[in-house]
Each structure stands twice: as C-alpha cells, then as structure tokens.
Amino acid sequence: MAATLSSVHAVVLEHRERNKKSSRADIERFIQESELKLASLESQISALIELRDRERTCVATLKDLIAPIHTLPVELLPEIFEVAIRAESHVEDALQISQVCSGWRQVSHSTPRLWTGKMWINLREDTHGDREQVYVDELKAWLLRSVPLTIPITLVLDSESINNRILDEVMRTAPRWRSLTLKMESEAPAPSFVSRLAESKLNNLEELGLLRFDKDVDRAALLSFTTAPRLRKLEILSNFLPMSMPWSRLTGLTFTSSTLTVLDILAQCPNLIQAVVRAAGWNVLPQARRDILTLSHLRTLDLRFRDGQHFVPLSDCLSAPALEELYLDFWNRETDRLFWTSAHFTAFQLRAANITQLGFEDSLLTVDDLKIAIHHAPSLTHLTLDNCGACFDDAFANALCYKPDTTPLAPNLHHFVLFRFDFGDNFTEDTLARMIVSRWWTDTELASRLVPPAVARWTHVELNGNRYLGEELADMLKDLPSDVLILL
C-alpha cells in the first residue's frame, strides 16, 4: 500500500511540474488522451480477467478429472451412496446426494434402490397448505425413481377428509407396496380411502401395520389383505382384531387382544416364527384347557401383560419346541408375584427346551423363581432384567459368579443386560463387580490356560441403574474393554 501511494505521489509531482506552464486547452487535451488510454487499458484488463477465469475453470476441471472419486468404476457410486444414506434421514440424504453435481444426479436418479426408504405420507386434506402442488410434484418424482422396486409406505389419515391428489399418486404405487402401515388419527379411515384400498392389487405386500383401526371399518378393505399373496407379517395395535386376515400364512404377528382370544388367534397361525402379544391377564382363573397348542416354528415370543392377575393359563396351553427368545413384561407389578407359579412356568419351559435368550421386565419374581427359570434354560446365552429388583441381589450375583471346579448358573451366558436397578442392603457394587470379573479373561489369559473355563466369556455387559454408577464400580471393571462393558 505504501509503494502504491508513493508511486501515485510521484506521478502527481511529475505532471504538476511538466504542465504547470501549459494552457487550459492543452491540459484538457491531455485529459482526453489519458482517458482514451485508460479505456484501452480497461478493455485489455477485462479481456485478461476473462482469460484468467477461463484458465482457472480449465485447471479446476482438469483437477476434478484426476480426483480419486473419478478413478472408481461408475458402478461403485451407487454402493457408496447407499452406505451414505441413513435410514432415519434417507429423504434428506438422498436429495442432497442427487444435488451435488449433474453426474451424481444422473447416477442417483437411475438407481431405484436409493429411493426405497420408508415414506411417511399424510393424506389429510389441507395438511400441506400453499405447498400442496409442490409436495404432489415432489412425491410423484420420488415414487417414480423407485420403479420397479417394492417400497414401504406409512399413510396418516382420518375419517374426516382426504387429499385426493396425494391419494391418487400413492394408490398408483399399491402393486409395489412391500409394507404398509396405516396410522389412524381417528377411529376409522375416510370411505374414499377404504374403497380405493379394496380395489387395489397388493401383489407384493409382505408386512402390514394397522394402528387404531376401528371395528366399524368397511370389511371390504380388510378382505383385500386376505388376497395379498405375500403377506407374512401383521401388526395390529388396536382393541379391534379383524378376523378376516390370512392367519395361516403369517410368520410374524404383533397384536393386542383380551387374553381369552389370544390362544384362538395363535391357533390359526401354525407358521408363526415371531410373535408379540399385548394382552390383559385373567382376573379370575379360567377353567384350564386340556389341549396344548403347538407352534412348531415359533422362535421369538414377547408377552406383555397389562392388567389382570393371572397369565399362567396362556403358558399352560402353549408348546414351542423351537423357541429361542422369550421376553415377559409384567406391567401390573402389584399382582404378578402373587400368581407366578414356578411349577407352571417350568412345565412350559420343558415344552420349550431350546431357549437361549430370556428377558423379564417389571417383575417381582424372587431370586428362587429366577434361578429355577434359568436352571430350566440350559442353553441360555442372553439374559435381560429390567426393573426386577426383587430377583437380583447378592445371592443371585453369587450364583452367576464363576469359581474354579464349580458349575455356576447359566454357564453359556455371555450377554447380560441389567436395567433400572438399585444398590442397597441386598445388592452391592462389589458383589456385582466380582461376578462380572469372574467371567472375563483376555485373549492372552485364555490362551495360557491348559483347560478352558467352564463358562462363556462375556461379549456384552450393559448396566443402567436407577442412579449414576460411580467411579468405584467402573474402576473394579476397568479390565473389561469398552466394546464389551457399557455403563450408563
């Protein structure tokens, strides 16, 4: 800056000295000549700037051509894009990738699987306001990019009104629905939607979710599901349980029902592999059924009881020889202990002898109850206890503790989760830590042993108490790696 000011000052002095005796006419002529030279120079500068910018663009283009991304086969780009698109934000991620450049847009738009994430579509009238046309156009473009693949759809609707323009775009894709979830914001869907659904060919529908479906809904719509040839998974979170369903073809079922009808429903589903049942227990113990319902393919059973005092009749009447995962949630904690009978549960376990994963939530089972349950699950590898303070104490921790020359409880256990627990007089940090440490060895320690331990080594231990787990416990467990031990 100083050199520039100095140069300007010198030019000023030079012209003052040279032209101090010139006439006004001569000075005006000199001004005109200088302005012409200035215009000529500015023209040359503009041309040079344009040439410079052109060369900069050329350099950037050439560098882009040799960038590592361009050395990859174009077939790999969709694989990279797919990894970059997260399930929880797939709409935003897919759109961002398609807007990076024209090349990426062409590749992404011609890769249908990038556009097959779950769509949450609101069919209610006046939901989108002034953006309705934009929303319809964007939705149509998105759905077209997924052709010819199947897609998952979630529809939000009510009985009052429905946006027919959006409905038209959605229903065109019905033959490609892989999963359909109907989220009701009233007791029944709009009649126009029901009629369109009843006319649809659901040739690729594999999973169906009916949330808050009212018993008065037109059964024509439900009948359309019975003819869906590939429907295998059904979720009904409603007190209304439609009977017109392809029960015999289902492999996955989640439903809410009175306990009196649970067995009737399960009896129609001989091919079930996974079941989640939300049911009310019996307030009065019903007369026992003599027949046993056998679900030969059932591998996962999740039973959640919300009311009542008895659940025993359900397990008394059920046989699941292939069952591997069993989860019991007793929401009514005031009564479940009074009516838990180990003998009944043991009888059920003898008909389900292959359980490897067992979980209890909100239960008041005693330590002895839990020991008996685990004893009759000899292949147990996973145990989850959530808010089960009455059955986990120092005595139970000692039973799990591995000691040489003894066989502890659950020798195959390697995945242990303990949620919502409190240390107290019957449960101490020291005992819990000793139990966990007793079942852990480094690779070097295991390799040095002539005889391997009689128990499995931990692969996952997760502790999440009702209060902060202190540094003392963490210090006692410091030798367990962070990918095995999780303290929350």
Side-chain angles (χ1 to χ4, degrees), residues 132-152:
E132 178 181 322
Q133 184 59 51
V134 175
Y135 180 82
V136 172
D137 292 342
E138 291 176 346
L139 177 62
K140 181 178 181 180
W142 181 283
L143 295 174
L144 283 173
R145 289 170 195 158
S146 64
V147 175
L149 301 182
T150 58
I151 55 176

Side-chain angles (χ1 to χ4, degrees), residues 340-374:
W340 172 275
T341 305
S342 289
H344 285 269
F345 191 67
T346 296
F348 167 73
Q349 286 185 280
L350 294 176
R351 297 190 298 271
N354 295 306
I355 293 176
T356 59
Q357 301 187 34
L358 188 59
F360 294 93
E361 182 175 351
D362 288 332
S363 173
L364 290 177
L365 271 65
T366 67
V367 172
D368 288 338
D369 291 333
L370 185 56
K371 284 182 180 179
I372 293 172
I374 293 178

Side-chain angles (χ1 to χ4, degrees), residues 112-380:
R113 68 178 184 273
L114 300 182
W115 310 92
T116 57
K118 178 169 285 190
M119 293 293 293
W120 186 284
I121 302 173
N122 200 323
L123 293 178
R124 292 176 302 173
E125 190 69 73
D126 299 328
T127 300
H128 305 283
D130 296 338
R131 291 194 72 259
E132 178 181 322
Q133 184 59 51
V134 175
Y135 180 82
V136 172
D137 292 342
E138 291 176 346
L139 177 62
K140 181 178 181 180
W142 181 283
L143 295 174
L144 283 173
R145 289 170 195 158
S146 64
V147 175
L149 301 182
T150 58
I151 55 176
I153 292 285
T154 294
L155 301 179
V156 181
L157 63 163
D158 60 28
S159 59
E160 305 243 337
S161 61
I162 197 164
N163 190 310
N164 288 310
R165 298 178 66 193
I166 299 176
L167 179 63
D168 288 342
E169 296 300 332
V170 171
M171 297 308 296
R172 288 190 183 98
T173 66
R176 293 196 294 118
W177 290 348
R178 180 174 69 254
S179 74
L180 170 64
T181 300
L182 300 180
K183 186 178 185 302
M184 301 300 305
E185 300 205 347
S186 61
E187 294 302 319
S192 58
F193 172 77
V194 172
S195 61
R196 292 287 296 273
L197 183 62
E199 298 168 357
S200 301
K201 294 185 180 299
L202 307 176
N203 297 332
N204 285 290
L205 189 65
E206 299 175 3
E207 302 180 23
L208 173 64
L210 303 178
L211 311 184
R212 290 190 61 189
F213 232 61
D214 185 76
K215 64 181 179 180
D216 295 326
V217 67
D218 188 342
R219 291 183 178 272
L222 299 179
L223 288 173
S224 64
F225 299 128
T226 65
T227 60
R230 298 188 178 185
L231 184 59
R232 295 295 184 271
K233 294 183 179 181
L234 174 64
E235 179 179 11
I236 303 180
L237 301 183
S238 171
N239 291 326
F240 166 56
L241 196 63
M243 300 308 295
S244 299
M245 284 290 163
W247 304 110
S248 62
R249 289 191 272 115
L250 296 180
T251 59
L253 176 61
T254 298
F255 70 104
T256 299
S257 177
S258 66
T259 314
L260 293 173
T261 62
V262 167
L263 290 171
D264 293 332
I265 294 296
L266 293 179
Q268 300 179 65
C269 307
N271 294 303
L272 277 184
I273 296 174
Q274 180 267 341
V276 178
V277 182
R278 297 174 175 88
W282 286 270
N283 287 316
V284 178
L285 194 63
Q287 184 177 359
R289 291 174 49 148
R290 294 181 179 179
D291 56 319
I292 299 293
L293 170 62
T294 300
L295 297 176
S296 302
H297 306 287
L298 189 66
R299 297 184 182 278
T300 302
L301 178 60
D302 187 337
L303 298 177
R304 306 178 185 185
F305 302 97
R306 285 295 177 260
D307 289 297
Q309 299 173 342
H310 302 271
F311 85 97
V312 166
L314 183 58
S315 61
D316 277 354
C317 300
L318 191 61
S319 174
L323 190 65
E324 297 175 353
E325 302 177 34
L326 176 63
Y327 193 88
L328 299 176
D329 178 357
F330 298 94
W331 182 78
N332 191 347
R333 301 184 71 241
E334 297 300 322
T335 57
D336 76 307
R337 170 68 198 110
L338 297 177
F339 298 95
W340 172 275
T341 305
S342 289
H344 285 269
F345 191 67
T346 296
F348 167 73
Q349 286 185 280
L350 294 176
R351 297 190 298 271
N354 295 306
I355 293 176
T356 59
Q357 301 187 34
L358 188 59
F360 294 93
E361 182 175 351
D362 288 332
S363 173
L364 290 177
L365 271 65
T366 67
V367 172
D368 288 338
D369 291 333
L370 185 56
K371 284 182 180 179
I372 293 172
I374 293 178
H375 176 73
H376 287 92
S379 301
L380 189 69

Side-chain angles (χ1 to χ4, degrees), residues 49-62:
I49 289 175
E50 183 178 352
L51 182 60
R52 180 202 63 188
D53 292 345
R54 181 182 179 86
E55 288 305 313
R56 282 180 173 174
T57 303
C58 180
V59 170
T61 302
L62 292 172

Side-chain angles (χ1 to χ4, degrees), residues 4 26 40 55 110 143-144 150 209 223 250 272 304 381 398 417 428 463:
T4 301
D26 289 337
S40 176
E55 288 305 313
S110 59
L143 295 174
L144 283 173
T150 58
L223 288 173
L250 296 180
L272 277 184
R304 306 178 185 185
T381 60
N398 281 322
V417 176
T428 60
L463 306 177

